[in-house]
Amino acid sequence: MSPLLHRIDPFWRHFLFYFSYLPSRIECSVNILFLSITDFESKKKSKRFKSDQMATEESASVMDDYEMLISTTDVELLKRAWRNEKAAPEILQFESSLVQRIKEQIELAEQNEEIFEANNIEPLTVSLYQMDLDRTQFLLRSYLRVRLQKIEKYLFYVLKTDEYLNRLSKQEQMFARRCTDDLGSHLDETVLAKLPDNYRSILKQSITSEEDDMVPAPRLDTFVICKAKQYLSGLDFEPEYSMEITEMERDLLTFVCYKFVKKPLENGKIDLV
Amino acid sequence: MAGQSDSTMSLFSSEEIEFMAEDEMTEIVPNLRMDSLNFICGDYGPFLPQLAAQVPLWLALALKKRGKCTIRLPPWMSVENLTRVLEAERDSHAFQPLPFHYVEISRLLFDHAREDIPDMYMVRSLIEDIRDVRFHKVETNLEKFTASTVTWKNMSAMEVNVIRAFAGRALQAFYKHDNEQQTPDTDRAMDKQPQIPTDRPKRNLKPR
């Protein structure tokens, strides 16, 4: 990406910027054009055509996402994810595509900075860009760190629950596994190996326990403060809590049990504050 | 106040809340010419001398610190408005509408943009009074809540953060005992509307 891009209208800059990550997509659509002109009927290629068609559909949905994103910046979305993650008692779904986009924007900003220095751009401007970069980096780091802290806290629980494990990114899963191994062997060496046979499990109090009763689980009955982005009716909540919560007004701060609002939170209808 | 004494208990540190407040939009009047800034968090500018522009507070403060702009006081921070808010705040139990980050925004402006605030001392003492009245309301509200959900209109970020830890744990305890024992606490039931009856049989406490 060249600094020239900054001279382009913001919309197109965003657009180009977004698609520059998807060279394969662009290639696909070019392929389709090519195919439709040349060997549209060729059987040999029809199979490939099909897969390309799927790719365009996919990129259409990417465009839909883009329409939605144009109203809010990625930083705004990351801030929301960070706040939710900090406030929620359990670990939430990792925002992989958002983090990916933010990382790329940070990289781009870092490259621009070098170019600024080389081109003798006004120091004031450079320092403002630096501040913007710092703020974004802080958000990203804090987001990742909050997640790591949660993983460490509920280490064994996360690993034995598929639902939670699937919410982690690849790196986080790796971190969780390595952390468990290290913690496990440390506890074995220092304490467990010296205990009687019945009490050597990390997960259980003794071998007579039927369940893993030494694994701390996130407390879903923690109270959180949330704000609905729109009016929520009873249908937006889990039916099993219909007694406790029936509706939620827009923009009204509500102190509520986390598990009641888990569903609208996952659907992006409320924000934790 | 309960949550205030122990900063590690609050979810967000005051610095983090300030960080969020710095993203609020502010109007500035720049005194320099500068091309548009295409930040990761959005595009701002171009800036022309004496032409008002909307920027996030952090950018406004950065320019202000370098003497490159004056900050326009947000309309809610005018003496007239604050006087009105303070009166209304004293008269009613409800919280008056103020920006979610009013404490932080006013604090940042007092610290870094003194000369842009006409009647600085007046504004400052008004905001402090409003803050005190509201915090007092928050405290009295804490004595009253019981239900499994509690709502507040117009409460600000700092106020929420101060009571978060304490109120959260209290509500959690209420909820836990309500569900385990199914015996409504008589002390609490008195000053509240009757609780929703449940189908499950009620178990009375053993006499002491």
Side-chain angles (χ1 to χ4, degrees):
Chain A
M1 288 277 151
S2 73
L4 254 180
L5 263 169
H6 279 302
R7 306 250 156 73
I8 305 174
D9 178 76
F11 174 80
W12 287 105
R13 189 170 59 90
H14 242 96
F15 185 84
L16 283 172
F17 185 48
Y18 197 68
F19 269 84
S20 62
Y21 306 144
L22 307 165
S24 57
R25 292 259 157 74
I26 292 171
E27 211 176 282
C28 283
S29 17
V30 171
N31 267 344
I32 286 193
L33 265 179
F34 177 71
L35 277 170
S36 55
I37 297 162
T38 55
D39 11 46
F40 188 71
E41 308 225 336
S42 147
K43 254 188 179 174
K44 212 175 173 186
K45 298 229 169 172
S46 72
K47 208 175 159 193
R48 193 169 153 218
F49 178 67
K50 218 173 189 175
S51 72
D52 282 351
Q53 209 168 23
M54 273 162 67
T56 27
E57 268 162 28
E58 204 182 308
S59 69
S61 83
V62 167
M63 279 312 286
D64 283 349
D65 285 349
Y66 181 74
E67 288 295 317
M68 206 185 70
L69 284 174
I70 200 163
S71 52
T72 19
T73 61
D74 281 343
V75 174
E76 202 55 43
L77 292 173
L78 183 65
K79 202 161 77 176
R80 190 183 292 167
W82 169 69
R83 268 201 320 240
N84 287 346
E85 192 70 64
K86 268 185 94 91
E90 61 174 353
I91 193 146
L92 303 175
Q93 179 62 47
F94 183 67
E95 302 275 353
S96 50
S97 56
L98 175 62
V99 169
Q100 185 60 29
R101 287 200 303 272
I102 286 281
K103 271 187 186 164
E104 273 153 7
Q105 294 186 43
I106 288 177
E107 257 167 50
L108 177 70
E110 279 169 344
Q111 286 168 15
N112 278 343
E113 209 142 275
E114 283 165 27
I115 297 167
F116 285 151
E117 269 167 40
N119 290 0
N120 281 332
I121 304 273
E122 226 187 316
L124 172 68
T125 317
V126 178
S127 76
L128 292 178
Y129 274 99
Q130 179 66 46
M131 283 177 82
D132 172 55
L133 181 61
D134 287 345
R135 289 176 69 83
T136 316
Q137 280 180 326
F138 165 77
L139 261 187
L140 181 62
R141 285 187 193 126
S142 184
Y143 173 70
L144 296 174
R145 233 173 247 178
V146 172
R147 291 182 60 88
L148 287 185
Q149 275 164 2
K150 269 194 200 167
I151 295 172
E152 272 184 27
K153 197 167 169 193
Y154 303 115
L155 197 56
F156 293 107
Y157 193 83
V158 166
L159 273 181
K160 73 181 188 129
T161 326
D162 280 344
E163 194 199 340
Y164 280 146
L165 199 56
N166 290 333
R167 291 182 190 175
L168 307 190
S169 70
K170 285 247 161 53
Q171 291 97 320
E172 283 170 341
Q173 288 180 358
M174 223 158 70
F175 170 79
R177 293 218 170 81
R178 270 188 16 221
C179 218
T180 336
D181 290 347
D182 290 349
L183 188 65
S185 61
H186 170 70
L187 289 174
D188 264 338
E189 279 166 30
T190 50
V191 186
L192 294 171
K194 300 179 177 70
L195 293 176
D197 286 347
N198 290 355
Y199 303 101
R200 282 196 187 163
S201 165
I202 300 182
L203 305 178
K204 296 177 185 181
Q205 297 211 22
S206 75
I207 50 168
T208 52
S209 316
E210 279 167 17
E211 285 171 18
D212 297 340
D213 51 6
M214 294 269 279
V215 180
R219 301 199 51 167
L220 300 188
D221 58 352
T222 311
F223 273 72
V224 292
I225 305 170
C226 65
K227 202 193 255 183
K229 286 186 231 168
Q230 64 207 64
Y231 172 80
L232 299 184
S233 68
L235 294 175
D236 289 306
F237 302 101
E238 295 278 5
E240 56 177 307
Y241 304 122
S242 56
M243 281 289 278
E244 282 90 350
I245 191 162
T246 48
E247 54 170 8
M248 199 180 274
E249 265 180 66
R250 188 167 166 251
D251 279 343
L252 188 67
L253 282 181
T254 313
F255 233 125
V256 66
C257 194
Y258 174 74
K259 62 184 175 186
F260 300 166
V261 295
K262 196 163 157 352
K263 190 176 157 200
L265 176 68
E266 277 161 10
N267 295 338
K269 287 182 179 164
I270 60 165
D271 283 330
L272 301 183
V273 181
Chain B
M1 203 182 267
Q4 215 168 19
S5 51
D6 188 358
S7 63
T8 55
M9 286 298 299
S10 340
L11 206 51
F12 294 95
S13 67
S14 31
E15 288 84 4
E16 282 168 337
I17 300 227
E18 191 179 292
F19 176 82
M20 286 189 255
E22 282 171 346
D23 283 334
E24 298 290 319
M25 294 306 273
T26 328
E27 198 172 69
I28 58 163
V29 183
N31 57 19
L32 82 170
R33 187 179 290 273
M34 189 162 57
D35 288 341
S36 337
L37 299 165
N38 306 111
F39 288 148
I40 305 177
C41 65
D43 301 321
Y44 304 103
F47 300 97
L48 294 167
Q50 304 314 319
L51 230 68
Q54 294 282 334
V55 294
L57 188 55
W58 66 265
L59 182 57
L61 292 174
L63 289 171
K64 176 75 202 168
K65 281 179 199 164
R66 292 166 177 77
K68 303 292 184 198
C69 76
T70 53
I71 297 179
R72 285 241 176 109
L73 199 66
W76 63 267
M77 267 180 86
S78 68
V79 173
E80 300 84 66
N81 186 54
L82 290 177
T83 322
R84 199 185 51 73
V85 169
L86 179 61
E87 264 168 35
E89 206 72 68
R90 281 188 174 138
D91 289 344
S92 92
H93 284 291
F95 292 104
Q96 299 305 309
L98 274 177
F100 189 54
H101 290 289
Y102 85 98
V103 180
E104 305 87 305
I105 296 176
S106 57
R107 180 64 199 269
L108 285 167
L109 291 182
F110 291 149
D111 286 354
H112 303 290
R114 275 155 192 278
E115 56 279 20
D116 294 344
I117 309 175
D119 304 319
M120 158 87 177
Y121 288 100
M122 190 65 188
V123 172
R124 188 174 197 146
S125 75
L126 276 170
I127 288 205
E128 268 169 21
D129 287 349
I130 291 176
R131 231 181 84 157
D132 289 345
V133 175
R134 288 174 62 115
F135 271 38
H136 180 71
K137 264 189 222 175
V138 171
E139 280 179 13
T140 37
N141 274 356
L142 281 185
E143 292 169 9
K144 288 185 195 144
F145 67 50
T146 51
S148 58
T149 55
V150 177
T151 55
W152 283 296
K153 216 174 194 140
N154 298 328
M155 202 185 234
S156 82
M158 273 298 179
E159 288 151 1
V160 165
N161 208 45
V162 162
I163 61 159
R164 184 199 306 274
F166 172 73
R169 269 177 303 155
L171 283 170
Q172 194 176 347
F174 285 170
Y175 177 74
K176 194 176 130 202
H177 296 309
D178 272 358
N179 282 277
E180 272 174 5
Q181 296 185 341
Q182 297 302 328
T183 43
D185 189 339
T186 44
D187 285 357
R188 269 195 299 127
M190 286 218 279
D191 55 10
K192 280 312 275 190
Q193 55 275 76
Q195 299 198 335
I196 308 153
T198 45
D199 312 337
R200 279 166 279 187
K202 285 181 182 172
R203 192 157 50 88
N204 288 322
L205 286 172
K206 284 179 198 161
R208 278 187 200 168

